[in-house]
Each structure stands twice: as C-alpha cells, then as structure tokens.
Amino acid sequence: MRGLPPAAWAYVCGVVALAAGLIATASYDGLDWRALAVLAMLFLICDSAPALLNVERARVSLSFAASLASVVLLGPAGAALLGVCAIVTGQRLFAPVKRIFNGAQFALCGYASGVVFGALGGQRFEPGQAKWVEHVIGPFVAALVTFVLVNMLLVAGILLLSRQATARELLGASGALAFGCLGYGMFGLLIAGLWSRVGIGPFAAVLVLLPLFIARWALEQTRAQQQAHAATLAALCQAVETKDYYTRGHSERVSRGSVMIAKEVGMRPDRVEAIRYAGMLHDVGKLGVPTKVLQKSGSLTEEEFAAIQLHPMRGLEIVREIGFLDEALAGIMHHHEKMNGRGYPMGLAGDEIPEFARAISIADAFDCMTSTRSYRAARTVEEAVEELRRCAGDHFDPDMVEAFLSALERDGWEPPKPVVLPEDDIAETTQQDHDDPSAPIRVAGEGVPETGDGIRR
C-alpha cells in the first residue's frame, strides 16, 4: 500500500472511521460472547488459508462462512465485531494498512448484511420452526448478497483509487469472484443451522471446517489444472518460435490483441479465455512446415507456398485433441481466411469465417506490421492502423477492425524491441517471415507480388 494517492488514503481513512463509528455506537445487549469467540477462531483459521481463483491476483477468504454465520447467530453488532478479526489474521503480516482496511470493510459488510437479515424478519434456526424458509433462508440469501456486494464495492473502490486495476478489469473479474464469495458464504447457513441443533452448538464450527477445506482443495485443483493448461500452451508456442528469432513473442502479442478485440465486441468471459488460447496457438501448425521453407529468404515455389498454406490445418491436427480449446480450434484453422474469399486454407468469405478467426487475423497482421524483421524496419503504429483501415472489408472484418482500433486507442500497444541474434545462429535465421502482411512474396507462376497474408501491393 506504499505510495497510495491522496484520494486512496482518504478513502481508506473514511472506511476505517465509518467502521469504528458503527462498532463504538452499536448495542451489544444480549450478545452471545461465547459464540463470538468460537466464530472468531473459525474466522481466523479460515482467513489464513484463502482460496485462489482463476482470476489474476484474486483470492476468496473462507472466513465468509464464519461472517455469514455470525449474521444469523449474533446480529449486526456481533457480525461487525467478528469482521474486525481480519486485523489480526495470519495473512498480510507486513502490510498493516491492508490489515486495518480489511478489518474495517469486513466489519461494514457484516453490519450491513446483519441489518438486511433483521429487516427481512430473519431469525435463528429453532427446533420445530415451521416457516424456516421464510424466517431464515430468504433473509439469509438477501444478507449474503448484501455482504458480497458491499465487500466487492469497498475493495473495488481502493483498487480503482490506488490505480491497481481499471473498471474494465474489475468488471471482467467480478463474475468469478462473486461466485466464489457466494459459494463460501452459503457455508454460513450450514454453521447456523447445525449450531441450533440440540447437543451440537459451538461444535458446528468444527464440523464445517472439513467441507470448507475440501471446497478450497477443489478450487486449488481447478486452478492448478488451469496453470498446467497455460504451461502446455506456452511450451507449444515456444516450440514454434524457436524456428525463428524474429517472431519470438509474436504469439503472445497476437493473443493479447485478440483478447482486446473480444472484450471490445462484448464476448463472454469464457469465450475471451478461449480466444486467448487461440491467439497463442494460431501458428502452432508451423511445426509441421519444413524449417527450410519458413527460413527461405528468396521467392517461394508453388510447392513451398502450398506448404505454408497448410500450416493452419497442421495446427488443427496438432491441438484438436486438447479438449479445453473448443471454439479456439476454429480460430486456429481459419485465421488466414479473407473477407473476400481469397484466403486459405478453405477460401471462406464474409460471415462464413468464424468470429475467432476474424479477430485473430487482425491481431496477427497488426503485430507483424509493427515488428522489426531482418529485411525491413517495423512500421509505426499509425502506419499499421492506416493499413488495417485500407484493408477493412476486403481482407478484414470492418467491425472487428473498428473494435481493435477502439481498444488500441484506449489501451495502447507496445511493439516488440528489435531482436538481437546470437552470433552462432545468424546464418540460419530466417530472412523473411512469410506470415508478415508487409513482406512481399512472389509465388511462382504469378506476376503480382503478394504478402504473406495475401494483401497485394
């Protein structure tokens, strides 16, 4: 939290002051202090072992369960007191400002959800209670939604003011975060229900620890699997790019550009993730193209150009059995198709071309144009933008081009730095990238120069 802008410091102080005011003025008459102590122990245990999600830097505290149980068992004041325990949690040992802020925001979340629970007629579970859905379940769900909403809004405020995230990034991550928070919060209902059973009482907190940590373990397995997927894809990309120093980093940049387009046109988060994979692997089929063809510095023969045109199909053959790629396969297969039907490998035109492929082709062309090659300097971003506009409608989907340019204006683009070749590899490094839209290729039997992406000059 070092170097926080003044507005962020003011926000932190305001949240802490509001929480302190609520706790100082709340009434604790009839509060079950023994229950508070047991739930505080559960809170500290759970908060010290957060669940990691498949969202960058995002974690969900298992303490949501204890906090929501306190809403039912202790009321607004008790839930606020329980939230203050975040100050002494096992996390963030060397970040006192974060600890204080988290304690304050958990206290506010607990108090707000407790007020909602009470306002809707919420009651503790009682043996033989006839209207438990009306008196407990309904108010609890409303309290849970309130807790999650207040929590996410308070955290979003500090992230925005401290410039650690943008509004767009927060919106993109909010779905997965909310799902995790709501899931762990429902364990609070289980604790509250068991607590009211004769002979169980505080032991309910211990009983719930096992399913809580099993749920955490399941999330960790999902995240580990996701990381394994990413490592597999990165290895495939690395294998492609070892054939040519001049295209190193190209797959990662195409992936980023494709994601920019996908987000701009409003694709669902799962499709955004899929197109990210497709962008990373769009050239994996070059593993099946002879290196001497990829590195050829002169004109291609018809047979050699045919080998180049087969690389999208080779790519599909290589990765088609990777089940989680799904829609990404169509992007890999058809990213060299043209709106005018003169692309390859199948000569699709217009809307026949899959949406992923239309996006990837734009990111692919733009990165090639703004990258330095041995035979030419990189074009400027402005020149590459003008080229995309010129080819929109003929080679590229015009709506996708506009989406990319809008995202580009907002997010910017950092072209790669010129490549420094190892001395022992200079002689064998390609003198021409045949996927480069600005590199003329003359195919045997034709008299008109054509770029690697089929753009004639």
Side-chain angles (χ1 to χ4, degrees), residues 370-417:
T370 54
S371 299
T372 297
R373 296 291 185 263
S374 61
Y375 51 86
R376 61 138 178 90
R379 294 190 184 193
T380 65
V381 169
E382 292 74 20
E383 290 172 335
V385 165
E386 183 60 31
E387 184 70 5
L388 289 182
R389 291 191 185 279
R390 186 182 72 81
C391 298
D394 188 27
H395 298 103
F396 306 120
D397 183 328
D399 294 333
M400 292 279 189
V401 169
E402 289 305 315
F404 179 68
L405 297 184
S406 296
L408 185 68
E409 184 177 354
R410 181 185 62 252
D411 301 333
W413 184 272
E414 186 175 350
K417 297 178 181 179

Side-chain angles (χ1 to χ4, degrees), residues 255-295:
S255 178
R256 185 168 73 87
S258 302
V259 167
M260 289 167 61
I261 296 172
K263 289 182 177 179
E264 194 67 26
V265 300
M267 289 187 188
R268 300 188 312 271
D270 60 319
R271 297 190 73 218
V272 172
E273 188 69 3
I275 202 171
R276 182 174 74 85
Y277 290 148
M280 289 178 64
L281 295 174
H282 74 287
D283 273 345
V284 70
K286 286 185 177 180
L287 291 173
V289 178
T291 303
K292 64 180 182 181
V293 174
L294 291 175
Q295 295 183 352

Side-chain angles (χ1 to χ4, degrees), residues 67-294:
S67 296
L68 269 298
S70 71
V71 168
V72 179
L73 299 172
L74 305 175
L81 277 180
L82 184 68
V84 177
C85 292
I87 295 177
V88 294
T89 184
Q91 294 189 68
R92 303 170 289 272
L93 293 176
F94 304 103
V97 176
K98 284 186 178 181
R99 293 158 70 92
I100 294 171
F101 176 80
N102 276 306
Q105 65 98 358
F106 266 118
L108 292 176
C109 293
Y111 190 88
S113 56
V115 169
V116 169
F117 183 77
L120 296 178
Q123 302 174 8
R124 290 183 59 163
F125 280 100
E126 298 295 342
Q129 192 174 52
K131 297 182 178 180
W132 55 271
V133 173
E134 180 180 329
H135 291 163
V136 182
I137 305 297
F140 179 86
V141 171
L144 172 57
V145 172
T146 300
F147 193 104
V148 173
L149 181 61
V150 174
N151 174 262
M152 294 186 71
L153 288 175
L154 289 174
V155 172
I158 187 61
L159 291 177
L160 289 172
L161 291 173
S162 61
R163 303 187 185 94
Q164 296 183 49
T166 65
R168 179 179 290 270
E169 289 172 339
L170 292 175
L171 285 174
S174 61
L177 286 172
F179 180 78
C181 294
L182 290 170
Y184 280 113
M186 288 302 296
F187 278 101
L189 185 63
L190 179 59
I191 296 173
L194 289 173
W195 197 290
S196 302
R197 300 295 296 174
V198 177
I200 297 182
F203 190 62
V206 179
L207 292 178
V208 173
L209 276 176
L210 180 59
L212 265 175
F213 279 90
I214 289 175
R216 178 181 180 273
W217 174 82
L219 273 179
E220 286 187 339
Q221 296 307 301
T222 301
R223 188 170 186 271
Q225 185 181 51
Q226 202 76 8
Q227 290 176 327
H229 291 169
T232 299
L233 301 188
L236 284 171
C237 293
Q238 181 67 28
V240 174
E241 294 178 356
T242 52
K243 285 194 169 188
D244 185 359
Y245 273 95
Y246 281 97
T247 61
R248 295 206 167 175
H250 171 66
S251 296
E252 182 180 346
R253 293 189 297 273
V254 171
S255 178
R256 185 168 73 87
S258 302
V259 167
M260 289 167 61
I261 296 172
K263 289 182 177 179
E264 194 67 26
V265 300
M267 289 187 188
R268 300 188 312 271
D270 60 319
R271 297 190 73 218
V272 172
E273 188 69 3
I275 202 171
R276 182 174 74 85
Y277 290 148
M280 289 178 64
L281 295 174
H282 74 287
D283 273 345
V284 70
K286 286 185 177 180
L287 291 173
V289 178
T291 303
K292 64 180 182 181
V293 174
L294 291 175

